Amino acid sequence: MGTVSNVINRPEAVLPQTRARVLAAIEELGYVRSESARQLRAGRSRIMALLVLDMGNPFFVDVARGAERAARAAGLGVMVCNSGQSPTEEAEYLGLFAEQRVCGVLVTPADATGRNLEAFSRHRIPFVLVDRVASGTGTCAVSVDDVRGGALGVGHLVSAGHRSVAYVSGPGDLHQIRDRREGALSALADAGLPPEALVEIPSDRLDVAAGRDAGARLLGLVPRPTAVFCANDLLALGVLQALYAAGVRVPHDIAIVGYDDIEFAAAAAVPLTSVRQPAVVMGRMAAELLLEEADDEGGTHEHRSVVLQPELVVRASSATPR
Amino acid sequence: MGTVSNVINRPEAVLPQTRARVLAAIEELGYVRSESARQLRAGRSRIMALLVLDMGNPFFVDVARGAERAARAAGLGVMVCNSGQSPTEEAEYLGLFAEQRVCGVLVTPADATGRNLEAFSRHRIPFVLVDRVASGTGTCAVSVDDVRGGALGVGHLVSAGHRSVAYVSGPGDLHQIRDRREGALSALADAGLPPEALVEIPSDRLDVAAGRDAGARLLGLVPRPTAVFCANDLLALGVLQALYAAGVRVPHDIAIVGYDDIEFAAAAAVPLTSVRQPAVVMGRMAAELLLEEADDEGGTHEHRSVVLQPELVVRASSATPR
DNA sequence: GGTGCGCAATGAATCGATTCATTCCCCTAG
DNA sequence: CTAGGGGAATGAATCGATTCATTGCGCACC
């Protein structure tokens, strides 16, 4: 009924007594408006999707927090999903989002080819890249300057006197990982050190267990680097534990620098020096960009790429050696 | 059109050539079926909601993982939300779920009075309690035996010779917290120790920062307990750090036992002894119970309460003292 | 007293998938 | 040759909120 709709959406257009009568009926019947019906009419839902690489990583939990806050301020719900770095999963979720007619998608792409997103863009559902620079001007994106982050982390170690730094990396197809290495190399170059001063310890995952493995390999290196820079804090925590278990003292024998500055980095027994990413801000800004794009009726929207700056947080794990 | 619907939902009822023609058209137009419309007709959506206390706690991330896996196996999406232990937020989200006509809700109640859920139950949307025993037989629930968990943790400490144990608790209105204390007390009683042997260090949150605070207070206690049992691992990690910073050796001076056995417990420099909760299994079972209840047409569904057993995982933080 | 204006409420159309009754065709059997 | 039956496609009704055109009512002004 039209009047009921008015009572809910434009109360001022209804006589107070009618309004009261309708509200009473609503209360009595326990009526709850159906979102499906509204959605059908409106053509899109009031839900924003967030697709991240790994919900087990507190970094992404923070991104989710920021996005959720911004979305709820705008009266939207958030659906948080996990691609687990699998392009297949990612494609599946994107399909789900299209069917749901979500009002927009925040996504940290797992598929480096960009094929999934290209396919998705046909649905005319706005999306914003998170923690990834836009390839063209056709997309909004919020990212952190990973090259600078890598430079910050390794620059800090180099200026503390380290001449050989291990880099515990992650899946090579992730942009973030490559950029951080690039920054690390540039920091070495700035200090007049050769690229060989960066000893890469490859890893195919970005979790604590992978960090433990990497730590074990680090211990086997001859000569052994005096410092290690990790592509994220989960790896760093794993490395820290492996070193501790082997009786290697941090930072006395080996200094450690992580990346992300998750809560657990500061909470480690030897608090981790880490390159802080403004995760919550990133989630919030991404959501805001998305809302802007989604609310845009007249095609006036201009895609924007926001690049945030990382920040070095020095803690005990990298105190000056020797 | 009816035929299109048949092509998608009952392909065998359509002639192969017609089917091919329809599929070709679908492909050409980039057609994606609208979930809103299906939902409107079906009366409920194909999304399951999960409302947890704190997404910053890896324990709940694991629960979410388990639930998501089970839900996706059944072709459903999962919407993970965060009440932040606030009954108000909880009520808001439950309202949102009702509007969305989600097919069911998995919830770790933040509102101890049960008023929110009572109100929600009017909507006839099935829900399953997670990490909480059912109050009556009117609800499905999956929980872990927290009394037993408390007894395991403190029993372990007592049998290692500790005579005075601190209990870092959490918000007093949470069932889990009270049950774990009860178990702790029973373990003391079993060892012939008086209730006063358990020194409670109250805390109003369950995160690492609260653990640091608690650790500081623990250090000020006279006489100082020789062991501490924490209501969850985040608190334990905070306590561990506070002790480490103060130069108190773990486990030599003070032993620590946590609860949940999150990944970071094992990853700590001094790996934490912890009472493991089968979080992933809990999420999976809760989702399965919910699916069972939601699929039940004839009202044949019998509400069930599943109680899982915790398990003590002994690590370095509680090695025998003295 | 009659006409006109304006505010409020009513009713119908719409969104898109589903479902079921109906129609349509073709083939077979009487 | 026709009637009947079965398999396949069509079309209309449905879900519930929204929106807009229409109706209806009351009051004021001529």
Side-chain angles (χ1 to χ4, degrees), chain B residues 24 26 36 75 143 160 172 185 193 201 205 215 231 264 300 316:
Chain B
I26 284 180
S36 343
S143 58
L185 288 171
L193 293 170
I201 300 180
R205 283 166 308 138
F264 295 102
T300 349

Side-chain angles (χ1 to χ4, degrees), chain B residues 252-282:
Chain B
H252 187 274
D253 300 326
I254 296 186
I256 302 182
V257 172
Y259 207 105
D260 286 347
D261 193 32
I262 62 177
E263 187 185 8
F264 295 102
V270 181
L272 279 180
T273 294
S274 189
V275 179
R276 171 178 298 169
Q277 303 210 73
V280 176
V281 173
M282 188 152 68

Side-chain angles (χ1 to χ4, degrees), chain B residues 6-26:
Chain B
N6 283 334
V7 168
I8 295 175
N9 301 315
R10 298 148 53 204
E12 74 285 358
V14 177
L15 280 192
Q17 55 162 14
T18 316
R19 197 189 317 157
R21 219 150 33 94
V22 172
L23 289 175
I26 284 180

Side-chain angles (χ1 to χ4, degrees), chain A residues 1-3 6 13-15 18 40-41 101:
Chain A
M1 202 195 307
T3 305
N6 283 334
V14 176
L15 281 192
T18 316
L40 178 57
R41 193 92 229 296
R101 301 283 195 277

